[in-house]
Amino acid sequence: MSEWAMDVSRLGIWGLPRPGRGCVPVLRRNFLVWRKTALTTVLGDVMDPMVALLALGYGLGSLLPGIEGVPYVTFLAAGSICMGALYAATFEATYSAFSRLHIQRSWDAMLNTPLSLDDVVFAEILWAAAKSMKSGLAILLVVVALDISRAPTLLWIPPALVLLGVTFSALALVMSALAKGFDFFMYYFTLGVTPMVFLSGVFFPVSQLPEALVQAARLLPLAPAIELVRPLVLGRMPAQPWEQVLQLALTAAVAIWLATALMRRRLLR
């Protein structure tokens, strides 16, 4: 029995994750591979939310009155930053992570070294979170460059993106642990990501929805992310930031535990 399998037998499949410094070489390996195709992956992660920001913000925005007292493009900027972080984390922790797990068998190779499964899982989450932060920061730079917002409070967005990235990445890796093939991810994108994007306040205030949907939308992890980031784009601090931070942190913690447990169960079969 391999060393990581003995660790799982001792801790149990549903035991708390115990990642260590073994995350570092996994992160380095992913970075070295990514560096070879960095340009294409950056374009893929950034272009969709950036096009939505520019086309809808300036195109549709020119036909709309201001929302919450600000131009529509400024209102949309916060949603675009969060949406970019969501898409980058989700694609990396689903299609790319599943390819390393199931197609390339990179996980098998790493688990034949002294690395533990928890190290590999946690490194995948951190790597996807780094890709998520890169996408969010790229859109933030566009917001500053086009003078959509240059508020001093924008400096708080990068720390917020770290929490957003870990949360979205851990949720997506849960899907990778359950997937039998790439087609499975369409369920998550159709039933999870798309409702989050359209119901969480990216394109319009959540308050415009029927009350039942407003309450449901507040449970989606993208909603507290936007509630945290939008005031920063508008030049003010969130009224109750710890509520959003706590919701995102709890979601991330549960998702990390669940992703680790499901990966243990999958690889021990």
Side-chain angles (χ1 to χ4, degrees):
M1 182 181 290
S2 63
E3 185 176 338
W4 72 266
M6 289 189 289
D7 287 341
V8 173
S9 298
R10 185 176 69 256
L11 298 172
I13 287 177
W14 301 101
L16 293 176
R18 297 180 61 182
R21 286 180 293 180
C23 297
V24 176
V26 181
L27 286 168
R28 184 173 182 272
R29 177 263 174 203
N30 287 347
F31 172 75
L32 292 174
V33 173
W34 168 80
R35 192 171 61 178
K36 298 177 181 179
T37 58
L39 180 60
T40 55
T41 58
V42 168
L43 288 174
D45 290 342
V46 172
M47 285 306 296
D48 281 348
M50 190 179 298
V51 167
L53 171 63
L54 299 178
L56 295 178
Y58 287 111
L60 182 61
S62 65
L63 304 175
L64 297 175
I67 295 181
E68 298 180 352
V70 299
Y72 182 67
V73 68
T74 308
F75 176 88
L76 182 62
S80 297
I81 292 169
C82 295
M83 184 170 65
L86 170 65
Y87 276 120
T90 303
F91 275 106
E92 182 63 32
T94 53
Y95 289 102
S96 297
F98 187 76
S99 179
R100 289 188 286 270
L101 168 68
H102 189 67
I103 306 299
Q104 300 172 6
R105 299 289 184 182
S106 300
W107 286 41
D108 288 346
M110 289 186 284
L111 292 174
N112 281 314
T113 70
L115 294 174
S116 71
L117 178 59
D118 291 11
D119 290 335
V120 178
V121 170
F122 200 65
E124 287 286 351
I125 292 172
L126 292 178
W127 175 247
K131 298 283 290 289
S132 172
M133 188 173 182
K134 173 206 67 183
S135 183
L137 287 176
I139 299 168
L140 178 60
L141 291 175
V142 172
V143 169
V144 173
L146 296 180
D147 200 17
I148 296 171
S149 174
R150 291 183 179 174
T153 49
L154 293 178
L155 295 173
W156 286 99
I157 291 180
L161 286 173
V162 176
L163 179 57
L164 271 58
V166 171
T167 303
F168 298 146
S169 300
L171 288 169
L173 198 63
V174 171
M175 297 299 108
S176 291
L178 296 171
K180 296 292 192 297
F182 289 107
D183 291 344
F184 179 84
F185 298 128
M186 290 305 299
Y187 292 107
Y188 183 54
F189 278 90
T190 302
L191 302 176
V193 174
T194 300
M196 276 196 282
V197 168
F198 283 100
L199 298 178
S200 297
V202 172
F203 301 109
F204 54 83
V206 175
S207 58
Q208 298 297 111
L209 296 169
E211 183 59 28
L213 281 179
V214 170
Q215 298 304 320
R218 286 175 178 165
L219 300 176
L220 301 173
L222 186 58
I226 293 174
E227 289 177 9
L228 193 62
V229 171
R230 178 158 284 140
L232 300 175
V233 173
L234 300 181
R236 61 178 186 267
M237 297 299 293
Q240 296 176 309
W242 296 113
E243 289 185 7
Q244 290 85 38
V245 169
L246 182 60
Q247 183 178 346
L248 289 166
L250 287 174
T251 302
V254 172
I256 290 169
W257 166 72
L258 191 57
T260 303
L262 292 174
M263 283 297 183
R264 289 169 179 169
R265 187 180 68 174
R266 179 188 183 112
L267 294 177
L268 279 177
R269 285 176 179 172

